[in-house]
């Protein structure tokens, strides 16, 4: 099988980078559509407009309607045709960014991704999640390429809620362990081939960065300031984890996250929070070294990431529901089959309950 690594064409990260948007986007298009929701537009409209003031490039702001749905994508496609738009810039959270990527794919124009939070590793990937107008999951849209440009403004991210940064660290925590498992099994990654040494190195660097800088980064955001640690964590959550998961491979942790979506009481949690517990379950499943499990538990506690159902707001667990979650985690095509050994529903059920007790013990 071929080895493949994917990444965005360019990644830029800095303080007040939004004020230099024109510098980075002008080579991609001269007539850009900028989409953002009302809340984000209030923050970015002035600096973005200023950056284009003395430029030969034009920009058109358009409100993002809140759902990455076919209706919204088609609406934006019409605006693109009517205004001869030649590039699209998405500024905001996951759904805004996924919509910008999807529109770029259908309109065959370059896309610039400007996340205003560092809560998942999705921004760098060649993937959009499409929902119905009512917000129900519809499909994964596999794009023909990764974004042309990803821009992280550290000042904007420092002012976002700390729980979102922590959730991003939870998502990034899974990257090394899932890539390690997928490589051991010699399975295909999301990039369509087996992992490279480069993606393995990025995944490992991602984990080490979380351990060394995670806590200080959390304190930085609590104070709404940028430190070297926060810079390192923004890079780990977005780029290292982004390339690390896509080209390093997913395994049990994300499959367990997907399984846990059947438990309604967990719907209020962020993706990365549920993935965190998925990591713990994967470590139990593979009987990882105990010092490694302790490192992960200590890290999660410092960052306020959940390590048991109590942390996730469930006092009494319903074992039948947990068995259903285990079943869904083992659905056909799930990435749990990228583990380097056979995994059954009973194995996953046992690992979930054991990980939960382990997390509870560690918390008490
Ligand atoms: Zn994830």
């Amino acid at each position: 099988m071929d080895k493949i690594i994917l990444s965005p064409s360019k990644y830029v990260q800095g303080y007040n980078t939004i004020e230099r948007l024109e510098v980075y986007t002008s080579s991609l298009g001269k007539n850009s559509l900028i989409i953002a929701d009302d809340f984000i537009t209030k923050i970015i409209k002035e600096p973005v407009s200023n950056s284009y003031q003395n430029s030969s490039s034009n920009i058109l702001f358009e409100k993002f309607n809140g759902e990455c749905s076919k209706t919204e994508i088609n609406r934006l496609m019409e605006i693109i045709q009517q205004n001869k738009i030649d590039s699209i810039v998405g500024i905001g959270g996951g759904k805004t960014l996924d919509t910008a990527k999807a529109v770029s794919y259908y309109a065959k124009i370059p896309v610039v991704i400007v996340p205003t939070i560092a809560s998942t590793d999705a921004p760098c990937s060649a993937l959009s999640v499409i929902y119905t107008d009512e917000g129900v999951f519809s499909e994964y849209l596999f794009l023909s390429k990764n974004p042309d440009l990803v821009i992280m403004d550290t000042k904007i991210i420092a002012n976002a809620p700390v729980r979102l940064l922590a959730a991003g660290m939870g998502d990034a925590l899974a990257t090394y362990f899932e890539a390690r498992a997928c490589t051991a099994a010699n399975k295909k990654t999301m990039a369509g081939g087996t992992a490279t040494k480069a993606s393995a190195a990025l995944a490992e660097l991602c984990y080490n960065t979380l351990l060394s800088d995670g806590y200080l980064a959390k304190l930085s955001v609590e104070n709404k300031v940028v430190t070297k640690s926060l810079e390192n964590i923004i890079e780990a959550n977005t780029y290292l984890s982004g390339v690390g998961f896509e080209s390093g491979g997913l395994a049990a942790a994300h499959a367990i996250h997907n399984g846990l979506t059947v438990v309604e009481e967990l719907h209020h949690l962020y993706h990365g929070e549920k993935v965190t517990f998925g990591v713990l379950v994967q470590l139990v499943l593979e009987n990882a070294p105990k010092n490694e499990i302790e490192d992960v538990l200590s890290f999660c506690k410092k960052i306020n990431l959940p390590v048991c159902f109590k942390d996730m707001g469930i006092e009494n667990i319903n074992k039948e529901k947990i068995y259903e979650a285990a079943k869904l985690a083992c659905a056909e095509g799930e990435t749990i089959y990228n583990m380097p050994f056979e995994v059954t529903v009973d194995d996953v059920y046992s690992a979930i309950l054991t990980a939960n007790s382990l997390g509870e013990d560690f918390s008490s």
Side-chain angles (χ1 to χ4, degrees):
M1 201 187 299
D2 295 331
K3 293 171 188 273
I4 301 179
I5 185 163
L6 298 178
S7 74
S9 307
K10 193 171 191 173
Y11 177 86
V12 177
Q13 180 182 306
Y15 193 79
N16 269 340
T17 313
I18 196 88
E19 293 179 359
R20 298 182 290 283
L21 192 66
E22 191 273 339
V23 174
Y24 294 110
T25 55
S26 57
S27 61
L28 294 170
K30 293 289 172 205
N31 204 16
S32 303
L33 182 71
I34 297 184
I35 61 164
D37 63 26
D38 278 340
F39 177 75
I40 295 298
T41 301
K42 275 184 209 135
I43 302 169
I44 56 91
K45 193 161 186 179
E46 201 184 317
V48 169
S49 302
N50 288 345
S51 91
Y52 280 89
Q53 214 161 40
N54 298 315
S55 158
S56 58
S57 306
N58 299 313
I59 48 169
L60 177 66
F61 285 97
E62 178 61 33
K63 182 189 164 189
F64 170 59
N65 276 339
E67 198 52 79
C68 181
S69 65
K70 290 224 164 104
T71 312
E72 179 67 354
I73 292 165
N74 290 337
R75 184 182 75 83
L76 294 167
M77 294 282 290
E78 263 178 42
I79 293 171
I80 281 177
Q81 274 156 10
Q82 283 161 6
N83 296 278
K84 297 199 168 59
I85 296 291
D86 61 7
S87 65
I88 181 163
V89 182
I91 307 180
K95 291 193 177 192
T96 311
L97 306 179
D98 275 5
T99 304
K101 283 193 215 171
V103 170
S104 136
Y105 170 76
Y106 289 119
K108 297 190 173 58
I109 55 174
V111 61
V112 179
I113 294 294
V114 188
T116 51
I117 48 179
S119 66
T120 74
D121 53 20
C124 291
S125 72
L127 186 74
S128 277
V129 187
I130 311 294
Y131 294 84
T132 66
D133 290 330
E134 291 74 39
V136 179
F137 170 80
S138 168
E139 59 175 312
Y140 286 112
L141 179 65
F142 289 92
L143 310 170
S144 48
K145 64 177 177 57
N146 296 63
D148 298 273
L149 173 60
V150 174
I151 294 180
M152 306 298 288
D153 186 322
T154 55
K155 187 184 169 190
I156 292 177
I157 291 160
N159 281 280
V162 69
R163 194 179 149 199
L164 287 165
L165 185 86
M169 288 196 249
D171 201 20
L173 180 65
T175 302
Y176 166 63
F177 298 109
E178 291 188 282
R180 180 174 77 179
C182 194
T183 297
N186 201 34
K187 290 285 174 72
K188 233 192 228 180
T189 74
M190 309 298 273
T194 52
T196 54
K197 285 179 78 65
S199 64
L202 293 186
E204 193 167 0
L205 179 61
C206 180
Y207 178 55
N208 290 333
T209 306
L210 292 177
L211 295 187
S212 61
D213 288 306
Y215 183 55
L216 280 189
K218 172 184 169 271
L219 298 180
S220 300
V221 171
E222 281 171 355
N223 286 288
K224 300 192 181 304
V225 293
V226 177
T227 57
K228 293 267 182 242
S229 287
L230 178 60
E231 289 175 1
N232 291 344
I233 288 302
I234 292 171
E235 187 181 337
N237 285 10
T238 315
Y239 189 85
L240 300 178
S241 184
V243 178
F245 102 80
E246 188 171 35
S247 297
L250 295 177
H254 270 80
I256 286 150
H257 161 276
N258 294 345
L260 290 174
T261 58
V262 295
V263 185
E264 279 124 35
E265 294 96 316
L266 300 178
H267 284 180
H268 66 285
L269 294 165
Y270 291 125
H271 170 83
E273 293 173 328
K274 280 176 279 182
V275 168
T276 302
F277 185 66
V279 170
L280 205 55
V281 176
Q282 176 174 323
L283 292 174
V284 171
L285 197 61
E286 60 191 359
N287 203 21
K290 302 303 167 285
N291 59 342
E292 189 171 85
I293 295 180
E294 289 217 345
D295 285 349
V296 167
L297 283 166
S298 312
F299 169 76
C300 293
K301 281 283 143 198
K302 281 228 146 190
I303 310 295
N304 281 345
L305 282 167
V307 295
C308 58
F309 287 113
K310 261 191 197 132
D311 287 352
M312 293 187 273
I314 300 180
E315 282 297 323
N316 299 306
I317 48 170
N318 174 342
K319 289 192 175 174
E320 277 169 26
K321 259 268 137 77
I322 299 301
Y323 198 80
E324 261 184 62
K327 262 193 191 160
L328 188 60
C330 296
E332 206 186 317
E334 255 304 350
T335 54
I336 206 154
Y337 300 109
N338 287 348
M339 294 299 288
F341 46 83
E342 196 192 338
V343 178
T344 66
V345 174
D346 283 351
D347 292 333
V348 175
Y349 174 73
S350 309
I352 293 176
L353 293 183
T354 307
N356 178 50
S357 299
L358 187 66
E360 274 185 9
D361 266 3
F362 197 82
S363 303
S364 59

